[in-house]
Amino acid sequence: MKIKKIFYSTLTLAFAGMTLISCNDFLDKMPDNRATIDTDDEAISLLTSAYPENDYMMVGEFMSDNVDDYGANNPYTDRFIDQVYHWQDVTEDDSESPEEFWQASYKAIANANQALASIEEMGANKSEKLSRAKGEALLCRAYNHFMLTNMFCKNYNDTTSNKDLGIPYMEAPETTLYPKYSRGTVAEDYEKIETDLLEGLSLVAMPTTKCQNTISMSRQPTPLPAVSICTTRNGTKSSSMLICC
């Protein structure tokens, strides 16, 4: 009887040990399959995902005056195009829908933020390569927020933009489940966009030229985003501000 008790106790301890090892292995894994970034090249390669996979061109074109309504008998339209053309809430699924663009842009922003966090952890100033990668990540974050602000908010206006609702400006990787974000205002979004742009431009060392009425960042042949940003002399952000990749 005593031998049986010793055997059962040993078996129980062995099982408990195996359970703890398995549990530790499980807990060591990222809960959302997020990649572990611990080298310069891994952080830089993450930037290839900091550009949106979906674009706004189809929606922007059909919402513009470049398109005419040929009536209900037009064989080259569908419900999605009709909703976009008439500036209605889009309920149809499409790879170029506003919802898809929203999701793709925030996914790109999340990747830019993860790259920035990893670069800062490794030391952004330890090499020119990492410093330029940080600049590119900041430009990507600014670009995506700029496009989202222009697609889903009112145009910048000196009188109302400090009250007009903006979009959530994400500046760090998500580390909690279902985090809450506030929208802020259009003016606040532009302030953050400009901050990211100017820091990013300084890190990728793009030359600047001064004009009489504007400060313009000249475009250069480069694999990084080509950025053009204009501000009026008194510092007021203009709704015609342009960022191009």
Side-chain angles (χ1 to χ4, degrees):
M1 188 67 178
K2 188 175 182 181
I3 295 175
K4 286 185 178 180
K5 287 183 178 180
I6 294 174
F7 175 76
Y8 289 139
S9 298
T10 303
L11 186 62
T12 301
L13 289 172
F15 179 76
M18 291 173 62
T19 302
L20 288 173
I21 292 172
S22 299
C23 184
N24 286 334
D25 290 342
F26 176 78
L27 293 175
D28 286 340
K29 296 179 180 178
M30 297 297 286
D32 54 2
N33 294 322
R34 187 176 307 179
T36 301
I37 309 297
D38 48 23
T39 69
D40 294 6
D41 289 338
E42 287 175 345
I44 293 170
S45 66
L46 189 59
L47 291 175
T48 61
S49 300
Y51 299 85
E53 296 178 356
N54 300 71
D55 61 55
Y56 56 88
M57 289 185 287
M58 181 177 178
V59 170
E61 181 72 8
F62 281 111
M63 294 180 76
S64 74
D65 57 4
N66 291 336
V67 180
D68 291 324
D69 187 354
Y70 284 89
N73 295 325
N74 180 11
Y76 303 108
T77 188
D78 55 34
R79 185 174 175 81
F80 168 74
I81 293 175
D82 290 343
Q83 289 178 338
V84 171
Y85 175 79
H86 291 98
W87 289 53
Q88 298 173 348
D89 290 338
V90 177
T91 60
E92 300 300 298
D93 292 331
D94 190 276
S95 61
E96 303 298 324
S97 70
E99 181 180 359
E100 290 292 331
F101 179 68
W102 174 278
Q103 297 287 354
S105 297
Y106 272 117
K107 180 180 178 182
I109 290 168
N111 288 324
N113 283 334
Q114 185 59 57
L116 284 168
S118 299
I119 290 169
E120 288 296 330
E121 186 175 339
M122 288 183 285
N125 298 322
K126 79 174 187 178
S127 70
E128 181 181 353
K129 184 167 69 171
L130 272 184
S131 180
R132 288 177 64 85
K134 178 182 177 180
E136 182 180 358
L138 287 168
L139 293 176
C140 288
R141 186 168 74 182
Y143 168 78
N144 284 287
H145 281 109
F146 175 77
M147 295 310 305
L148 285 168
T149 302
N150 277 266
M151 284 289 291
F152 296 99
C153 305
K154 293 182 177 180
N155 288 339
Y156 190 92
N157 182 290
D158 289 340
T159 305
T160 64
S161 285
N162 61 344
K163 299 177 183 178
D164 295 333
L165 282 175
I167 58 164
Y169 204 98
M170 295 177 61
E171 299 177 273
E174 292 184 349
T175 57
T176 59
L177 187 63
Y178 300 125
K180 303 295 183 182
Y181 295 100
S182 60
R183 290 183 61 177
T185 66
V186 171
E188 290 170 343
D189 286 337
Y190 268 85
E191 290 289 343
K192 293 178 179 179
I193 289 166
E194 185 179 50
T195 298
D196 280 349
L197 275 175
L198 294 178
E199 183 180 359
L201 288 171
S202 70
L203 293 172
V204 299
M206 293 180 67
T208 64
T209 57
K210 292 187 178 181
C211 304
Q212 181 176 359
N213 296 318
T214 64
I215 300 173
S216 63
M217 305 298 179
S218 61
R219 297 182 181 181
Q220 299 293 323
T222 171
L224 300 175
V227 180
S228 174
I229 172 177
C230 295
T231 60
T232 60
R233 176 169 286 184
N234 64 5
T236 303
K237 265 62 67 182
S238 169
S239 61
S240 62
M241 174 182 175
L242 175 66
I243 309 175
C244 300
C245 280

